[in-house]
Every structure is written in structure tokens, then in C-alpha cells.
Amino acid sequence: MDIEEALKWTDDRLFAKTGKHLDSLQKAILEGVWQRETYEQIGDNEHCSKHHIRKEAWKLWQLLSDVFEEDVRKSNIRSILENGRYSHIENLHIGNGDINVCRENPPYAKTAKKRSTNNADKVQTEKRHDLTEVPKSDRLYNRTQELNTLKQWILEDKIPIVSVIGLSGVGKTALVVELVRQIKDNFDRLLWRNCTKAPP
């Protein structure tokens, strides 16, 4: 990622969260820090004092901390931008195939859903699992690590989309069938559909 990509990515996240774009001084601060310049050097380039740049940078780090939902400082902004840009895709290599994970990277603050205290709402939802189309799969061998990783991503990290891809015959279906069997009780609704005959 170069500085232009970093600025655009940051500006897009900021606009999605606040409805405002980076101003010219904020861009200059980000660009200067990206190039490992001191606040004094950034101030010289922008024709203002080091103290003014330091004060504006502090405001920027606070703003970006809210946008990225993590502590942003001069010392870590570059790594946050580099990691954040590509954090929505991770790869796990298994045998001849890969598991690609699309991480949720919301451009807005997560808000807690309000729950009603009404007694009628406290009735536990009946679990409905439709696994009639689950294919018959062969036994799964030596996939404990991959199963544990997938369970962590789905149940603990709350990753919304996981795609399992790879060469034919490496055990993708068997892995997913076993995963569904192990985690199905954590979900109120579960639906398995075969998409091979789905329209384009």
C-alpha cells in the first residue's frame, strides 16, 4: 500500500463513520508520519509550528481511534493502515486448498441491540436446522487444527463469511460438514443448500 491508497482508505472509513473527509492538514500529518517525518518537519512543510502540528495530530489520532475502534498513535498509525487495508481477507493453507476468511470491517461503530424485558420476549427461540441437503462425506482425517481455527473465527471472532476453496478431493466438504455438526447448537437457524444447480 502506498500513501495515496492509505489516505483514500482512511478517508473512506472516516466519511462512512462521520460524514466528513480528511482536511488538508490531516492529510499532511498522515503523509508526513507515513514518511517517518517528525512533527517539526511536517510543520516546516505546512508553514506552521511543531506545537500546532502536535496538537492537530493528537486530535487526528483521537478521531481515527474512534473510526478504527482501536488506539491510534503516531507510532502505530502506519501499521494500522497497512494491516487494516488487507485485514478483511486472511488465508489458511490446508493441504492443497485454502480457506479464505472475509473479516467484517464495518465503517461504523457497532451498536448493542436493545433487548426488551417483556416476559413474552424471554421465551427461548426454537432452534430450526434444515440439514436435509448436507452431502454424505467421507471421514475427516487430521483436520483438528483447521476445525479449531474455523470454530474460533465463527464463534469467537464473529467473522461473517468464510469460504473454503481448494482442489477437488482435498476434503473441503468433509471439513465443512464436520464443522457444521460441531457448531450447529450455537445457532437458532441453520440452512444447508446445494448451489450447483443454482441459476447464474
Side-chain angles (χ1 to χ4, degrees):
M1 173 190 285
D2 62 24
I3 184 58
E4 293 304 317
E5 290 176 314
L7 287 173
K8 181 179 183 336
W9 187 80
T10 304
D11 189 62
D12 290 345
R13 304 285 86 66
L14 178 65
F15 184 76
K17 173 96 178 206
T18 67
K20 296 179 182 178
H21 291 284
L22 291 167
D23 64 32
S24 59
L25 184 56
Q26 290 170 329
K27 288 180 181 178
I29 291 169
L30 280 172
E31 188 171 355
V33 169
W34 185 272
Q35 295 169 352
R36 294 180 171 77
E37 293 178 351
T38 65
Y39 287 146
E40 187 172 4
Q41 291 170 315
I42 297 169
D44 290 344
N45 293 338
E46 295 302 306
H47 308 292
C48 50
S49 71
K50 170 178 79 172
H51 300 293
H52 181 68
I53 294 296
R54 185 182 305 277
K55 183 175 82 171
E56 292 302 311
W58 182 85
K59 291 179 188 174
L60 178 59
W61 307 147
Q62 298 305 307
L63 178 64
L64 295 181
S65 292
D66 290 340
V67 170
F68 298 144
E69 297 179 350
E70 63 180 294
D71 185 32
V72 175
R73 299 179 309 275
K74 179 183 180 185
S75 60
N76 68 357
I77 184 61
R78 184 170 178 148
S79 65
I80 287 172
L81 296 181
E82 288 175 337
N83 292 334
R85 179 75 168 101
Y86 300 104
S87 68
H88 64 288
I89 298 178
E90 291 186 4
N91 295 302
L92 173 66
H93 183 71
I94 52 169
N96 293 325
D98 290 318
I99 297 174
N100 295 329
V101 178
C102 300
R103 287 199 173 273
E104 182 176 16
N105 200 2
Y108 50 83
K110 293 181 182 176
T111 55
K113 293 181 180 176
K114 292 183 181 178
R115 295 187 179 211
S116 171
T117 56
N118 187 343
N119 285 337
D121 293 335
K122 290 183 179 179
V123 177
Q124 186 176 2
T125 307
E126 180 185 345
K127 294 187 184 306
R128 293 185 184 169
H129 297 158
D130 182 355
L131 302 175
T132 55
E133 292 188 25
V134 170
K136 184 178 178 183
S137 65
D138 296 331
R139 292 186 181 185
L140 188 66
Y141 297 104
N142 301 322
R143 292 289 185 240
T144 306
Q145 179 182 350
E146 290 82 1
L147 281 169
N148 290 338
T149 300
L150 287 168
K151 285 192 280 189
Q152 179 184 341
W153 285 345
I154 294 168
L155 300 176
E156 295 173 26
D157 298 343
K158 307 291 187 206
I159 295 172
I161 300 173
V162 178
S163 64
V164 181
I165 59 173
L167 297 174
S168 178
V170 297
K172 300 179 298 294
T173 301
L175 176 67
V176 175
V177 168
E178 180 62 21
L179 174 70
V180 168
R181 188 189 66 74
Q182 290 184 19
I183 69 172
K184 68 181 180 181
D185 292 333
N186 293 285
F187 298 93
D188 292 330
R189 302 286 183 270
L190 202 78
L191 175 70
W192 184 296
R193 288 293 177 260
N194 185 343
C195 297
T196 44
K197 296 180 181 177

